[in-house]
């Protein structure tokens, strides 16, 4: 292992125009354990970044810091021109612009599918009910399950639930969507329907950061692949570079284990 | 969608497959008896012994109930029901009870229709509940009313109970048929009747004005929401103004009634329970949230309150209410009635217990729920109100109803501080001159036990019903 693996720079971004997310020298500790070490990363407008790495490498923590589900301990995070601080209004503003899709869906089990989707637009954006419902139906059509609108999350399959979760994130019309291992809790036959939905989103120009183990998805959709291990960004590159010509020993080891 | 029962055979001809049904587990009566009661020699023996014991007990109880002198309950029926309420004002509790039954019946009819319409609109199969369903829901209360009134010595109570029962079933139909505008506000129909009933009983001052003000504020708030008005100033100021106007108007009317110092018997038992739940639950929820707060002052205050109140027997709290609480009121001000002070302590008591139950519920809501709501930019208050609390409360319905039933029975301790509730009249009637020393306690306490049991059992059934309803399609 070479010392060149420490803290690769992920600041050069693809996409169009400005960087929408900037992470500078960011550290994160859980107690004494340093989960993220001096992360530098930018994400461009309309860019799709896929973050991969072994479990415990800090991938999820990284994206959870971006919308303040975890609080970073040092460095700066700027989302759409707003720096993340302790000010709750800043945090709310950033969360409005960043949707999130979780591994375990986290749909609200006491609300119907349509209410799951309309809740945040109505509460946060003060959207009138009729308009929110129209939007929700449009999004459900987009994720191909409009007929499930009146059901409850418990009545849907895992794949359908995750597609509702994506629709719920889209309902806030966010500028970025963070995906935290969206297919890891799904049965194999349902992974495809969720990945297809994500691919459609990417093709429509949504800015996305995806933590995932789906290498096929990374290869096909990503503009950039970020490989993390032990709380550090080890290697960054285009999918071609990353899968065909990895430079770092740890990347090669990881790829040899999973491919 | 293709019919799942039709599968292709390969030559293009659909093959109709008979639907599989699970094998019937029902046995004809003869075989059922054999399988469950006389399957071998020792089971047969147990069956026979138990049968002998049961027959003996049944004969004893029936014989006792027929042979015993029920005169004491007949004489004291009014005491058991309303205590020392002024005799020539008895129309007030009757009017109150009938108005509340009417409100409940209309309101629930309207609400079940609204639910039905929503289900139909959303393509969920739904049928109108029958009168039999209504009877299944309320039979403990209906039978209890009939049991009570069977001891009456004059005609009006029979008429009153008959009107109540007929009203319960008939007005549900009316509620079901109300125009949609009123139907969608079923809760407020119920609240209006409840307030009217309460007004008949206790006049329009004080508590009624406060509760009415709160209800009107909630009504205005929901109406604004329905109308799609989101202007901050209107949404906040409108309900508050409407509530205050209601409060002042009702206070100004100043209709005279009989406050709860004149109440007693079953009436006060029910009322104390209702107040204990209606005030204890909101305070309990606030305490539970406070106990999970990050602010040390709030957290400590809540912990101290909860642990103190839970660590002291209710009797002690009630005695505290009659001896120590007056010291907290400014000297010279009216010292408040004994029941008011007792209600303050009962509220504190049930709030502390509800708080711990709700806290358990809050812990049962997965962290991911909060995170998902946070990630969409919702405010902490909205997350608590719309995401966490509904799930937390749903998870602890059985425990909360258990607490409500316990509170209902615990109100019998009001007797200790000299409030003549339902339970207390057991002893009072046995010390009357006509019945003193006749050993009629078994009669009065059987009567009392049946009264408590019917209501508690009804509450328990309602809890199960609520659980079933809220879990529909959820897990």
């Amino acid at each position: 292992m070479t010392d060149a693996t420490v803290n690769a720079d992920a600041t050069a971004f693809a996409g169009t125009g400005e960087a929408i997310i900037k992470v500078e020298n960011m550290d994160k500790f859980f107690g004494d354990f340093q989960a993220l070490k001096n992360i530098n990363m930018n994400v461009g407008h309309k860019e799709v970044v896929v973050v991969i790495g072994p479990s415990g490498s800090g991938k999820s923590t990284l994206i959870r810091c971006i919308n303040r589900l975890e609080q970073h301990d040092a460095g700066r995070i700027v989302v759409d021109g707003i720096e993340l601080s302790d000010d709750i209004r800043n945090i709310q503003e950033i969360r409005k612009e960043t949707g999130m899709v979780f591994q375990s869906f986290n749909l609200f089990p006491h609300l119907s599918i349509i209410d799951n989707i309309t809740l945040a637009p109505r509460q946060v954006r003060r959207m009138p009910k009729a308009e929110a419902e129209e939007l929700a139906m449009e999004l459900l059509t987009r994720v191909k399950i409009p007929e499930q609108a009146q059901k409850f999350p418990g009545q849907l399959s895992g794949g359908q639930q995750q597609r509702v979760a994506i629709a719920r994130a889209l309902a806030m019309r966010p500028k970025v969507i963070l995906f935290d291992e969206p297919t890891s809790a799904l049965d194999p036959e349902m992974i495809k329907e969720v990945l297809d939905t994500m691919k459609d989103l990417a093709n429509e120009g949504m800015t996305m950061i995806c933590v995932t183990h789906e290498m096929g998805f990374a290869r096909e959709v990503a503009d950039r692949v970020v490989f993390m291990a032990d709380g550090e960004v080890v290697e960054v590159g285009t999918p071609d570079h990353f899968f065909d010509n990895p430079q770092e020993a740890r990347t090669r080891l990881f790829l040899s284990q999973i491919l | 969608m293709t019919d799942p029962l039709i599968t292709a055979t390969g030559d293009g001809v659909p093959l109709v497959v008979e639907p599989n049904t699970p094998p019937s587990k029902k046995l004809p009566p003869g075989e059922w008896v054999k399988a469950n009661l006389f399957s071998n020699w020792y089971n047969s023996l147990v069956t026979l012994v138990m049968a002998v014991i049961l027959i003996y007990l049944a004969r004893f109880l029936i014989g006792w109930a027929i042979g015993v002198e029920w005169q004491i309950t007949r004489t004291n029926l009014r005491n058991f029901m309303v205590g020392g309420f002024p005799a020539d004002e008895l129309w007030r509790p009757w009017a109150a009870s009938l108005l509340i039954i009417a409100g409940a019946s209309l309101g629930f009819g309207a609400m079940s229709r609204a639910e039905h319409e929503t289900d139909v609109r959303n393509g969920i199969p739904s049928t109108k509940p029958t009168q039999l369903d209504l009877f299944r829901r309320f039979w403990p209360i209906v039978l209890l009313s009939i049991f009570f009134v069977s001891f009456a010595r004059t005609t009006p109570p029979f008429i009153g109970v008959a009107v109540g029962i007929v009203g319960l079933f008939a007005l549900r139909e009316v509620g079901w048929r109300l125009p949609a505008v009123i139907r969608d506000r079923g809760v407020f129909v119920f609240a209006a009747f409840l307030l009217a009933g309460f007004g008949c009983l206790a006049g329009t001052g004080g508590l009624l004005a406060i509760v009415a003000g709160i209800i009107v504020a909630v009504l205005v708030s929901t109406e604004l929401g329905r109308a799609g008005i989101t202007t901050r100033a209107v949404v906040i100021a409108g309900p508050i103004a409407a509530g205050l106007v209601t409060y002042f108007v009702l206070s100004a009317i100043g209709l005279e009634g009989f406050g709860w110092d004149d109440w007693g018997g079953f009436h006060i038992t029910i009322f104390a329970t209702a107040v204990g739940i209606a005030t204890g639950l909101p305070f309990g929820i606030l305490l539970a949230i406070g106990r999970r707060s990050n602010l040390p002052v709030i957290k400590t205050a809540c912990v101290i309150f909860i642990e103190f109140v839970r660590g002291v027997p209710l009797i002690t709290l009630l005695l505290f209410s009659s001896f120590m609480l007056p010291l907290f009121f400014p000297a010279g001000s009216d010292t408040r009635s004994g029941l008011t002070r007792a209600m303050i302590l009962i509220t504190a008591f049930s709030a502390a217990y509800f708080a711990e139950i709700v806290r358990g519920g809050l812990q049962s809501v997965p962290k991911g729920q909060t995170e998902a709501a946070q990630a969409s930019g919702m405010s902490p208050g909205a997350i608590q109100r719309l995401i966490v609390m509904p799930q937390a409360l749903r998870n602890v319905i059985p425990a909360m109803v258990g607490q409500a039933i316990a509170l209902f029975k615990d109100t019998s301790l009001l007797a200790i501080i000299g409030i003549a509730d339902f339970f207390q009249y057991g002893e009072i009637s046995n010390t009357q001159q006509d019945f003193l020393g006749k050993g009629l306690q078994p009669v009065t306490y059987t009567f009392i036990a049946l009264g408590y049991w019917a209501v508690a059992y009804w509450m328990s059934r309602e809890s199960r019903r609520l659980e079933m309803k809220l879990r529909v399609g959820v897990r």
Side-chain angles (χ1 to χ4, degrees), chain A residues 64 69 92 95 98 106-110 119 123 126 150 152 154 168 172, chain B residues 122 232 368-369 371-372 374-379 382 386-387 390-391 473-474:
Chain A
R64 286 166 60 87
L69 290 183
Q92 303 280 66
R95 284 174 175 167
T98 51
N106 292 346
L107 294 182
F108 307 128
H110 60 301
L119 183 66
Q123 280 294 316
R126 304 257 156 221
Q150 301 302 336
F152 282 84
R168 180 175 69 176
M172 284 294 287
Chain B
N122 294 336
R232 280 265 157 136
Q369 292 290 310
E371 288 182 350
Q374 282 175 333
S376 61
M378 285 169 67
S379 67
L386 299 168
I387 304 298
Q391 297 186 55
V474 168

mmCIF file of all heavy atoms in Angstrom, chain A residues 64 69 92 95 98 106-110 119 123 126 150 152 154 168 172, chain B residues 122 232 368-369 371-372 374-379 382 386-387 390-391 473-474:
data_model
loop_
_atom_site.group_PDB
_atom_site.id
_atom_site.type_symbol
_atom_site.label_atom_id
_atom_site.label_comp_id
_atom_site.label_asym_id
_atom_site.label_seq_id
_atom_site.Cartn_x
_atom_site.Cartn_y
_atom_site.Cartn_z
ATOM 1 N N ARG A 64 -24.672 11.977 4.633
ATOM 2 C CA ARG A 64 -25.539 12.412 5.744
ATOM 3 C C ARG A 64 -25.057 13.729 6.350
ATOM 4 O O ARG A 64 -25.838 14.437 6.988
ATOM 5 C CB ARG A 64 -25.629 11.321 6.808
ATOM 6 C CG ARG A 64 -26.502 10.142 6.364
ATOM 7 C CD ARG A 64 -26.303 8.943 7.268
ATOM 8 N NE ARG A 64 -26.647 9.234 8.637
ATOM 9 C CZ ARG A 64 -27.872 9.121 9.129
ATOM 10 N NH1 ARG A 64 -28.855 8.718 8.365
ATOM 11 N NH2 ARG A 64 -28.125 9.401 10.391
ATOM 12 N N LEU A 69 -27.862 15.446 8.657
ATOM 13 C CA LEU A 69 -28.356 14.379 9.516
ATOM 14 C C LEU A 69 -27.238 13.983 10.472
ATOM 15 O O LEU A 69 -27.467 13.443 11.536
ATOM 16 C CB LEU A 69 -28.823 13.177 8.692
ATOM 17 C CG LEU A 69 -30.103 13.401 7.879
ATOM 18 C CD1 LEU A 69 -30.519 12.131 7.171
ATOM 19 C CD2 LEU A 69 -31.228 13.921 8.743
ATOM 20 N N GLN A 92 -32.475 24.255 7.331
ATOM 21 C CA GLN A 92 -33.761 24.041 6.654
ATOM 22 C C GLN A 92 -33.656 24.390 5.175
ATOM 23 O O GLN A 92 -34.191 23.681 4.324
ATOM 24 C CB GLN A 92 -34.856 24.911 7.285
ATOM 25 C CG GLN A 92 -35.067 24.713 8.758
ATOM 26 C CD GLN A 92 -35.908 23.498 9.068
ATOM 27 O OE1 GLN A 92 -35.494 22.370 8.809
ATOM 28 N NE2 GLN A 92 -37.059 23.720 9.655
ATOM 29 N N ARG A 95 -31.856 21.662 3.424
ATOM 30 C CA ARG A 95 -32.657 20.433 3.329
ATOM 31 C C ARG A 95 -33.767 20.559 2.301
ATOM 32 O O ARG A 95 -34.171 19.568 1.685
ATOM 33 C CB ARG A 95 -33.235 20.090 4.708
ATOM 34 C CG ARG A 95 -32.192 19.505 5.633
ATOM 35 C CD ARG A 95 -32.745 19.321 7.011
ATOM 36 N NE ARG A 95 -31.784 18.657 7.894
ATOM 37 C CZ ARG A 95 -31.923 18.590 9.201
ATOM 38 N NH1 ARG A 95 -32.965 19.139 9.786
ATOM 39 N NH2 ARG A 95 -31.028 17.973 9.932
ATOM 40 N N THR A 98 -32.133 19.614 -0.959
ATOM 41 C CA THR A 98 -31.510 18.297 -1.108
ATOM 42 C C THR A 98 -32.487 17.214 -0.681
ATOM 43 O O THR A 98 -32.830 17.112 0.488
ATOM 44 C CB THR A 98 -30.254 18.174 -0.220
ATOM 45 O OG1 THR A 98 -30.603 18.568 1.104
ATOM 46 C CG2 THR A 98 -29.133 19.031 -0.728
ATOM 47 N N ASN A 106 -37.929 4.351 4.763
ATOM 48 C CA ASN A 106 -38.427 5.323 5.738
ATOM 49 C C ASN A 106 -39.661 6.070 5.268
ATOM 50 O O ASN A 106 -39.817 7.251 5.531
ATOM 51 C CB ASN A 106 -37.335 6.339 6.108
ATOM 52 C CG ASN A 106 -36.201 5.704 6.887
ATOM 53 O OD1 ASN A 106 -36.350 4.591 7.372
ATOM 54 N ND2 ASN A 106 -35.094 6.397 6.999
ATOM 55 N N LEU A 107 -40.560 5.363 4.586
ATOM 56 C CA LEU A 107 -41.861 5.983 4.314
ATOM 57 C C LEU A 107 -42.607 6.089 5.633
ATOM 58 O O LEU A 107 -42.319 5.367 6.580
ATOM 59 C CB LEU A 107 -42.659 5.120 3.331
ATOM 60 C CG LEU A 107 -42.074 5.017 1.927
ATOM 61 C CD1 LEU A 107 -42.995 4.184 1.050
ATOM 62 C CD2 LEU A 107 -41.878 6.396 1.310
ATOM 63 N N PHE A 108 -43.566 7.018 5.689
ATOM 64 C CA PHE A 108 -44.329 7.197 6.922
ATOM 65 C C PHE A 108 -45.485 6.201 6.929
ATOM 66 O O PHE A 108 -46.434 6.346 6.160
ATOM 67 C CB PHE A 108 -44.842 8.632 7.018
ATOM 68 C CG PHE A 108 -43.744 9.654 6.853
ATOM 69 C CD1 PHE A 108 -43.859 10.688 5.946
ATOM 70 C CD2 PHE A 108 -42.573 9.566 7.612
ATOM 71 C CE1 PHE A 108 -42.841 11.623 5.790
ATOM 72 C CE2 PHE A 108 -41.555 10.492 7.459
ATOM 73 C CZ PHE A 108 -41.688 11.516 6.546
ATOM 74 N N PRO A 109 -45.425 5.192 7.803
ATOM 75 C CA PRO A 109 -46.381 4.089 7.690
ATOM 76 C C PRO A 109 -47.821 4.484 8.011
ATOM 77 O O PRO A 109 -48.743 3.779 7.634
ATOM 78 C CB PRO A 109 -45.868 3.072 8.708
ATOM 79 C CG PRO A 109 -45.054 3.846 9.670
ATOM 80 C CD PRO A 109 -44.477 4.996 8.897
ATOM 81 N N HIS A 110 -48.005 5.614 8.717
ATOM 82 C CA HIS A 110 -49.373 5.983 9.095
ATOM 83 C C HIS A 110 -50.037 6.869 8.046
ATOM 84 O O HIS A 110 -51.183 7.255 8.212
ATOM 85 C CB HIS A 110 -49.364 6.692 10.443
ATOM 86 C CG HIS A 110 -48.553 7.962 10.455
ATOM 87 N ND1 HIS A 110 -47.215 7.988 10.153
ATOM 88 C CD2 HIS A 110 -48.900 9.235 10.698
ATOM 89 C CE1 HIS A 110 -46.781 9.232 10.226
ATOM 90 N NE2 HIS A 110 -47.777 10.013 10.560
ATOM 91 N N LEU A 119 -46.903 15.613 1.888
ATOM 92 C CA LEU A 119 -46.699 16.207 3.219
ATOM 93 C C LEU A 119 -45.666 17.332 3.218
ATOM 94 O O LEU A 119 -45.958 18.453 3.642
ATOM 95 C CB LEU A 119 -46.279 15.113 4.205
ATOM 96 C CG LEU A 119 -46.104 15.583 5.643
ATOM 97 C CD1 LEU A 119 -47.435 16.013 6.224
ATOM 98 C CD2 LEU A 119 -45.479 14.500 6.496
ATOM 99 N N GLN A 123 -46.235 21.250 3.875
ATOM 100 C CA GLN A 123 -45.737 21.788 5.140
ATOM 101 C C GLN A 123 -44.640 22.817 4.934
ATOM 102 O O GLN A 123 -44.620 23.860 5.565
ATOM 103 C CB GLN A 123 -45.161 20.646 5.996
ATOM 104 C CG GLN A 123 -46.205 19.856 6.717
ATOM 105 C CD GLN A 123 -46.905 20.687 7.761
ATOM 106 O OE1 GLN A 123 -46.268 21.421 8.501
ATOM 107 N NE2 GLN A 123 -48.221 20.623 7.804
ATOM 108 N N ARG A 126 -45.550 25.221 1.617
ATOM 109 C CA ARG A 126 -46.889 25.820 1.731
ATOM 110 C C ARG A 126 -47.668 25.702 0.433
ATOM 111 O O ARG A 126 -48.371 26.623 0.018
ATOM 112 C CB ARG A 126 -46.798 27.293 2.146
ATOM 113 C CG ARG A 126 -46.032 27.500 3.413
ATOM 114 C CD ARG A 126 -46.946 27.761 4.575
ATOM 115 N NE ARG A 126 -46.272 27.390 5.824
ATOM 116 C CZ ARG A 126 -46.855 26.767 6.830
ATOM 117 N NH1 ARG A 126 -48.113 26.438 6.769
ATOM 118 N NH2 ARG A 126 -46.189 26.485 7.917
ATOM 119 N N GLN A 150 -53.528 5.527 -3.142
ATOM 120 C CA GLN A 150 -54.320 5.547 -1.910
ATOM 121 C C GLN A 150 -53.950 4.434 -0.938
ATOM 122 O O GLN A 150 -54.541 4.316 0.120
ATOM 123 C CB GLN A 150 -55.817 5.444 -2.240
ATOM 124 C CG GLN A 150 -56.322 6.563 -3.130
ATOM 125 C CD GLN A 150 -56.100 7.939 -2.532
ATOM 126 O OE1 GLN A 150 -55.976 8.091 -1.316
ATOM 127 N NE2 GLN A 150 -56.030 8.960 -3.375
ATOM 128 N N PHE A 152 -51.350 2.158 1.607
ATOM 129 C CA PHE A 152 -50.408 2.507 2.669
ATOM 130 C C PHE A 152 -49.078 1.808 2.394
ATOM 131 O O PHE A 152 -49.048 0.771 1.735
ATOM 132 C CB PHE A 152 -50.968 2.101 4.028
ATOM 133 C CG PHE A 152 -52.008 3.052 4.528
ATOM 134 C CD1 PHE A 152 -53.326 2.940 4.118
ATOM 135 C CD2 PHE A 152 -51.678 4.088 5.391
ATOM 136 C CE1 PHE A 152 -54.291 3.832 4.550
ATOM 137 C CE2 PHE A 152 -52.638 4.980 5.828
ATOM 138 C CZ PHE A 152 -53.946 4.852 5.401
ATOM 139 N N GLY A 154 -47.195 -0.155 3.960
ATOM 140 C CA GLY A 154 -47.105 -1.573 4.306
ATOM 141 C C GLY A 154 -47.718 -2.489 3.272
ATOM 142 O O GLY A 154 -47.462 -3.689 3.272
ATOM 143 N N ARG A 168 -41.222 10.947 -3.318
ATOM 144 C CA ARG A 168 -41.350 11.849 -2.170
ATOM 145 C C ARG A 168 -40.209 12.858 -2.156
ATOM 146 O O ARG A 168 -40.411 14.042 -1.884
ATOM 147 C CB ARG A 168 -41.346 11.029 -0.879
ATOM 148 C CG ARG A 168 -41.471 11.875 0.359
ATOM 149 C CD ARG A 168 -41.589 11.040 1.609
ATOM 150 N NE ARG A 168 -40.349 10.342 1.928
ATOM 151 C CZ ARG A 168 -40.177 9.597 3.017
ATOM 152 N NH1 ARG A 168 -41.157 9.454 3.880
ATOM 153 N NH2 ARG A 168 -39.029 8.989 3.236
ATOM 154 N N MET A 172 -40.282 17.787 -3.450
ATOM 155 C CA MET A 172 -39.790 19.068 -2.955
ATOM 156 C C MET A 172 -39.044 19.828 -4.051
ATOM 157 O O MET A 172 -38.486 20.887 -3.802
ATOM 158 C CB MET A 172 -38.871 18.853 -1.748
ATOM 159 C CG MET A 172 -39.603 18.519 -0.459
ATOM 160 S SD MET A 172 -40.603 19.897 0.120
ATOM 161 C CE MET A 172 -39.333 21.017 0.711
ATOM 162 N N ASN B 122 -61.569 6.167 -2.835
ATOM 163 C CA ASN B 122 -60.226 5.658 -3.067
ATOM 164 C C ASN B 122 -60.222 4.204 -3.505
ATOM 165 O O ASN B 122 -59.164 3.567 -3.525
ATOM 166 C CB ASN B 122 -59.387 5.805 -1.797
ATOM 167 C CG ASN B 122 -59.164 7.266 -1.459
ATOM 168 O OD1 ASN B 122 -59.221 8.110 -2.330
ATOM 169 N ND2 ASN B 122 -58.918 7.553 -0.202
ATOM 170 N N ARG B 232 -49.989 33.731 7.337
ATOM 171 C CA ARG B 232 -49.610 33.482 8.727
ATOM 172 C C ARG B 232 -50.491 34.207 9.741
ATOM 173 O O ARG B 232 -51.012 33.623 10.675
ATOM 174 C CB ARG B 232 -48.146 33.913 8.947
ATOM 175 C CG ARG B 232 -47.154 32.881 8.459
ATOM 176 C CD ARG B 232 -46.712 31.978 9.590
ATOM 177 N NE ARG B 232 -46.247 30.729 8.992
ATOM 178 C CZ ARG B 232 -45.150 30.096 9.364
ATOM 179 N NH1 ARG B 232 -44.424 30.554 10.348
ATOM 180 N NH2 ARG B 232 -44.799 28.981 8.769
ATOM 181 N N GLY B 368 -35.246 6.496 11.713
ATOM 182 C CA GLY B 368 -35.355 6.794 10.286
ATOM 183 C C GLY B 368 -36.558 7.657 9.953
ATOM 184 O O GLY B 368 -36.536 8.413 8.981
ATOM 185 N N GLN B 369 -37.625 7.542 10.744
ATOM 186 C CA GLN B 369 -38.812 8.354 10.492
ATOM 187 C C GLN B 369 -38.495 9.836 10.673
ATOM 188 O O GLN B 369 -38.858 10.660 9.849
ATOM 189 C CB GLN B 369 -39.939 7.935 11.451
ATOM 190 C CG GLN B 369 -40.472 6.562 11.172
ATOM 191 C CD GLN B 369 -41.241 6.528 9.883
ATOM 192 O OE1 GLN B 369 -42.107 7.353 9.650
ATOM 193 N NE2 GLN B 369 -40.912 5.584 9.025
ATOM 194 N N GLU B 371 -35.525 11.148 10.593
ATOM 195 C CA GLU B 371 -34.518 11.545 9.599
ATOM 196 C C GLU B 371 -35.160 11.831 8.251
ATOM 197 O O GLU B 371 -34.816 12.809 7.583
ATOM 198 C CB GLU B 371 -33.462 10.450 9.459
ATOM 199 C CG GLU B 371 -32.550 10.385 10.666
ATOM 200 C CD GLU B 371 -31.460 9.342 10.513
ATOM 201 O OE1 GLU B 371 -31.538 8.539 9.552
ATOM 202 O OE2 GLU B 371 -30.537 9.334 11.346
ATOM 203 N N ALA B 372 -36.106 10.965 7.859
ATOM 204 C CA ALA B 372 -36.758 11.176 6.566
ATOM 205 C C ALA B 372 -37.495 12.510 6.560
ATOM 206 O O ALA B 372 -37.479 13.231 5.566
ATOM 207 C CB ALA B 372 -37.723 10.030 6.270
ATOM 208 N N GLN B 374 -36.824 15.126 8.536
ATOM 209 C CA GLN B 374 -35.817 16.194 8.581
ATOM 210 C C GLN B 374 -35.252 16.439 7.190
ATOM 211 O O GLN B 374 -35.103 17.582 6.762
ATOM 212 C CB GLN B 374 -34.666 15.802 9.509
ATOM 213 C CG GLN B 374 -34.971 15.949 10.980
ATOM 214 C CD GLN B 374 -33.840 15.431 11.839
ATOM 215 O OE1 GLN B 374 -33.081 14.551 11.430
ATOM 216 N NE2 GLN B 374 -33.709 15.973 13.031
ATOM 217 N N ALA B 375 -34.949 15.346 6.505
ATOM 218 C CA ALA B 375 -34.308 15.475 5.197
ATOM 219 C C ALA B 375 -35.193 16.222 4.214
ATOM 220 O O ALA B 375 -34.698 16.825 3.270
ATOM 221 C CB ALA B 375 -33.961 14.093 4.637
ATOM 222 N N SER B 376 -36.521 16.201 4.441
ATOM 223 C CA SER B 376 -37.387 16.934 3.519
ATOM 224 C C SER B 376 -37.584 18.377 3.959
ATOM 225 O O SER B 376 -38.363 19.103 3.352
ATOM 226 C CB SER B 376 -38.728 16.223 3.382
ATOM 227 O OG SER B 376 -39.361 16.164 4.629
ATOM 228 N N GLY B 377 -36.898 18.783 5.034
ATOM 229 C CA GLY B 377 -36.920 20.188 5.419
ATOM 230 C C GLY B 377 -38.025 20.563 6.382
ATOM 231 O O GLY B 377 -38.267 21.737 6.621
ATOM 232 N N MET B 378 -38.727 19.575 6.938
ATOM 233 C CA MET B 378 -39.791 19.910 7.878
ATOM 234 C C MET B 378 -39.221 20.443 9.185
ATOM 235 O O MET B 378 -38.132 20.065 9.595
ATOM 236 C CB MET B 378 -40.661 18.676 8.145
ATOM 237 C CG MET B 378 -41.585 18.347 6.988
ATOM 238 S SD MET B 378 -42.356 16.732 7.166
ATOM 239 C CE MET B 378 -43.396 17.021 8.585
ATOM 240 N N SER B 379 -40.005 21.304 9.843
ATOM 241 C CA SER B 379 -39.539 21.895 11.095
ATOM 242 C C SER B 379 -39.684 20.875 12.225
ATOM 243 O O SER B 379 -40.506 19.967 12.150
ATOM 244 C CB SER B 379 -40.365 23.136 11.413
ATOM 245 O OG SER B 379 -41.687 22.744 11.688
ATOM 246 N N ALA B 382 -43.266 20.373 13.395
ATOM 247 C CA ALA B 382 -44.111 19.635 12.449
ATOM 248 C C ALA B 382 -43.744 18.156 12.453
ATOM 249 O O ALA B 382 -44.619 17.298 12.345
ATOM 250 C CB ALA B 382 -43.963 20.215 11.048
ATOM 251 N N LEU B 386 -46.657 15.644 13.227
ATOM 252 C CA LEU B 386 -47.238 14.925 12.092
ATOM 253 C C LEU B 386 -46.626 13.554 11.858
ATOM 254 O O LEU B 386 -47.247 12.693 11.248
ATOM 255 C CB LEU B 386 -47.078 15.762 10.811
ATOM 256 C CG LEU B 386 -47.770 17.118 10.848
ATOM 257 C CD1 LEU B 386 -47.323 17.987 9.690
ATOM 258 C CD2 LEU B 386 -49.271 16.925 10.818
ATOM 259 N N ILE B 387 -45.399 13.357 12.303
ATOM 260 C CA ILE B 387 -44.717 12.093 12.011
ATOM 261 C C ILE B 387 -44.548 11.244 13.261
ATOM 262 O O ILE B 387 -44.992 10.102 13.320
ATOM 263 C CB ILE B 387 -43.331 12.347 11.375
ATOM 264 C CG1 ILE B 387 -43.470 13.198 10.119
ATOM 265 C CG2 ILE B 387 -42.625 11.029 11.079
ATOM 266 C CD1 ILE B 387 -44.284 12.573 9.026
ATOM 267 N N PRO B 390 -48.106 10.795 15.999
ATOM 268 C CA PRO B 390 -49.179 9.881 15.588
ATOM 269 C C PRO B 390 -48.760 8.411 15.669
ATOM 270 O O PRO B 390 -49.530 7.560 16.106
ATOM 271 C CB PRO B 390 -49.450 10.277 14.128
ATOM 272 C CG PRO B 390 -48.937 11.647 13.992
ATOM 273 C CD PRO B 390 -47.797 11.782 14.956
ATOM 274 N N GLN B 391 -47.524 8.128 15.263
ATOM 275 C CA GLN B 391 -47.070 6.731 15.323
ATOM 276 C C GLN B 391 -46.863 6.285 16.759
ATOM 277 O O GLN B 391 -47.183 5.160 17.137
ATOM 278 C CB GLN B 391 -45.768 6.568 14.542
ATOM 279 C CG GLN B 391 -45.927 6.864 13.072
ATOM 280 C CD GLN B 391 -44.663 6.553 12.308
ATOM 281 O OE1 GLN B 391 -44.143 5.450 12.359
ATOM 282 N NE2 GLN B 391 -44.137 7.531 11.604
ATOM 283 N N GLY B 473 -54.146 -1.993 6.899
ATOM 284 C CA GLY B 473 -53.232 -1.733 5.792
ATOM 285 C C GLY B 473 -51.935 -1.078 6.185
ATOM 286 O O GLY B 473 -51.303 -0.437 5.370
ATOM 287 N N VAL B 474 -51.544 -1.193 7.428
ATOM 288 C CA VAL B 474 -50.347 -0.477 7.832
ATOM 289 C C VAL B 474 -49.136 -1.387 7.909
ATOM 290 O O VAL B 474 -48.062 -1.047 7.458
ATOM 291 C CB VAL B 474 -50.581 0.243 9.175
ATOM 292 C CG1 VAL B 474 -49.267 0.731 9.747
ATOM 293 C CG2 VAL B 474 -51.490 1.419 8.948
#
